[in-house]
Amino acid sequence: MQQRDEGGGTEAQAKDICLRLLTDRARSRHELEASLAKKGFATEIANAVLDRLEKAKLVDDESFAQQWVQSRHKYSGKGKRALSMELRNKGVSSELAVHALDLIDAEDERRRAGELVRKRFRTLHLPDPNGPDARADRDKVVRKLVGMLARRGYSQGMAFAVVKEELDRVGADTGDFDGPDSM
């Protein structure tokens, strides 16, 4: 089966490329297809190789999606919205993405957001509640923290709730804090 096409190479070469890519991390079928296409392999060769790799369970989009979601949530602190976009960009079907994202419940997401805020507290100067610009300073900190969570894919409502909760925990004055509408 060493079929050669003018475009790229043989099935053995395509297989070697895929196996090398898979040694770094799990990859979706779409990612491997894109890599082979970029290297000029014919579609027929790429499909034949990827079909064999799927049969051998070396390419499995469902398993990939679950691993991706768990890893990116735990180590990068990504929220469900960001993870959903990443899976879509990696060519994972909506159905498989939904199943993988269901592995993270709302409490897991909220807990991880709280961890990110507490970590960020270490580098932020928390405002003096008795200072002349206490509210403005606090609101500035809130915007930074909520923005950080939003960039990681957390919803605005959850971000504000977590930031308020963490500010309360460290003793910041949040008595006049109304959430997103108070900014």
Side-chain angles (χ1 to χ4, degrees):
M1 284 191 107
Q2 291 298 317
Q3 196 177 22
R4 177 114 181 134
D5 187 75
E6 299 103 35
T10 64
E11 285 185 21
Q13 291 168 326
K15 180 181 164 193
D16 287 345
I17 288 169
C18 289
L19 292 175
R20 255 186 273 125
L21 289 170
L22 290 168
T23 59
D24 293 336
R25 66 169 173 83
R27 296 184 190 268
S28 68
R29 181 179 175 112
H30 176 76
E31 286 180 291
L32 294 171
E33 283 173 350
S35 292
L36 293 175
K38 186 176 175 183
K39 294 195 182 290
F41 284 91
T43 305
E44 303 79 39
I45 289 176
N47 285 334
V49 167
L50 293 172
D51 288 345
R52 278 201 317 258
L53 291 174
E54 278 183 339
K55 283 181 187 170
K57 302 288 186 209
L58 293 173
V59 175
D60 179 352
D61 279 359
E62 182 175 12
S63 176
F64 166 78
Q66 292 171 358
Q67 290 173 20
W68 186 264
V69 165
Q70 292 291 353
S71 174
R72 299 286 286 167
H73 178 68
K74 182 176 181 178
Y75 298 112
S76 298
K78 298 288 185 173
K80 283 180 145 181
R81 190 175 61 215
L83 291 168
S84 175
M85 288 175 49
E86 288 179 358
L87 290 174
R88 189 174 328 122
N89 290 339
K90 299 220 171 276
V92 174
S93 73
S94 296
E95 181 183 330
L96 293 178
V98 166
H99 289 304
L101 291 168
D102 283 345
L103 297 174
I104 300 172
D105 64 22
E107 191 52 41
D108 289 336
E109 197 171 27
R110 188 180 188 95
R111 185 174 27 258
R112 187 64 176 117
E115 291 169 3
L116 293 169
V117 169
R118 286 189 296 279
K119 183 177 179 183
R120 185 76 158 105
F121 275 166
R122 293 183 221 146
T123 61
L124 285 178
H125 172 71
L126 295 177
D128 175 10
N130 300 320
D133 296 326
R135 181 175 178 161
D137 290 345
R138 188 223 38 224
D139 288 351
K140 186 176 175 181
V141 168
V142 168
R143 280 192 300 277
K144 283 182 181 181
L145 293 170
V146 169
M148 180 257 313
L149 291 175
R151 285 186 298 280
R152 290 177 183 238
Y154 293 89
S155 71
Q156 184 180 25
M158 178 184 285
F160 274 101
V162 167
V163 168
K164 180 183 186 315
E165 186 178 294
E166 293 302 324
L167 285 171
D168 286 341
R169 193 182 59 75
V170 297
D173 180 22
T174 60
D176 62 345
F177 184 75
D178 300 328
D181 299 331
S182 69
M183 296 283 134

